[in-house]
Amino acid sequence: MNFASDNIVGVHPAILQALIDANAGPQAAYGEDEHTGQAVADLSAVFETDLEAFLVTTGTAANSLSLAAMAPPFGAVFCHEDAHIAVDECGAPEFFTGGAKLFGLPGPTGKITPETVTATLDGFVKGVHDPMPAAISITQATELGTLYTPAEIRALADLAHAHDMGLHMDGARFANALVSLGCSAAEMTWQAGVDILSFGGTKNGAMTLEVVTIFDPQLATDFNYRRMKAGQLLSKGRYLGAQLTAYLADDLWLANARHANAMATRLANGLAETEGVRLPLPTPANEVFPIMPRSVMERLHQSGAAFYEWPGNGPGTDSIGPDEAFVRLVCSFTTTTDEVDTFLELVATTAGQAA
């Protein structure tokens, strides 16, 4: 019963097999191999457009290098106050941009709006004493498991472009958002105005696979040098290319995400029927955020269930009482119905005892 993260599980067998197959014989180094070439072509087909794709090993690298392509050292990047780039990447975006300032903006469901960004921009009245607005970064799915619709993305993109800024999307859980919204990858990105996407695979069945996917060719200028200087150009790049090819083949990435989302829905539905537990947020992707009695959370942990108490005071106006806990549960492509049902039985029993 481990719902701590979708990072805790292993690699999908098809991707492991692809790595084994790619291991045979010599291949050109530094991403010039046949696997990487095929992977980039496959990615272009998925997004229905020509694009520039740079394979890296971590989401932090993908996000930080993406923002470095958009924001100068004197730039400003606007994001949600709980965004991964703001609170979980140890200052890497600031480091790789050479000092750009991140502005964390509020939003009750993990999302920012054009109105929130505009209100912040209206405070930039000091000329060169303020940093130069350079980028907006959004997370899809968000840190609270919610989703931006294509229309919401377009509204932020229009605002960004009207102020000569770029729009970056952190897509660590891109596949989970995509299958939930039922749109195409193109509709959720470049057709909605996204300039750079950090396309995530690691949380959804890959070993180490993130892709800086650039839709605006001007932003790809010199990006190879940025990746090299960051230590993210692998000499044996075939192992990244092989992962991406297998990840996209036969829509494996979408199937994995659909399964994870379905398990999260099953989990959320069961928790909603449990006395003393409430769900202040919808569960459109693979993360569930219940509020439960603190005594229940503690007993669940003592029983061996793994999940995190989530920081903050709860989403929106649904405040957390002094004897309550706001927690996060994450499902993955390996989560089973038995695992979910066993956990739900434990929650029900523990909640009953607490009552």
Side-chain angles (χ1 to χ4, degrees), residues 256-347:
N256 284 357
R258 285 193 187 97
H259 176 81
N261 288 7
M263 293 299 98
T265 298
R266 186 184 186 95
L267 181 58
N269 289 342
L271 289 170
E273 297 175 357
T274 303
E275 183 179 358
V277 178
R278 65 185 190 276
L279 295 174
L281 292 163
T283 306
N286 66 319
E287 297 175 283
V288 187
F289 289 89
I291 296 173
M292 62 178 61
R294 180 164 295 278
S295 60
V296 171
M297 180 192 72
E298 292 170 349
R299 291 180 188 181
L300 289 171
H301 282 156
Q302 291 167 4
S303 299
F307 57 90
Y308 286 112
E309 180 175 5
W310 212 237
N313 296 318
T317 58
D318 199 335
S319 59
I320 302 167
D323 297 323
E324 292 184 316
F326 181 48
V327 306
R328 186 191 76 166
L329 306 163
V330 188
C331 295
S332 76
F333 75 98
T334 68
T335 304
T336 65
T337 56
D338 286 345
E339 187 177 9
V340 170
D341 293 346
T342 299
F343 179 77
L344 288 173
E345 291 173 7
L346 180 60
V347 174

Side-chain angles (χ1 to χ4, degrees), residues 222-279:
D222 300 331
F223 197 91
N224 265 326
Y225 291 93
R226 295 187 186 278
R227 181 175 59 170
M228 180 64 186
K229 187 172 182 178
Q232 285 291 321
L233 179 61
L234 272 66
S235 59
K236 296 185 179 180
R238 71 169 100 174
Y239 298 109
L240 295 181
Q243 287 183 72
L244 182 54
T245 300
Y247 185 59
L248 299 176
D250 300 320
D251 289 338
L252 174 65
W253 64 299
L254 301 178
N256 284 357
R258 285 193 187 97
H259 176 81
N261 288 7
M263 293 299 98
T265 298
R266 186 184 186 95
L267 181 58
N269 289 342
L271 289 170
E273 297 175 357
T274 303
E275 183 179 358
V277 178
R278 65 185 190 276
L279 295 174

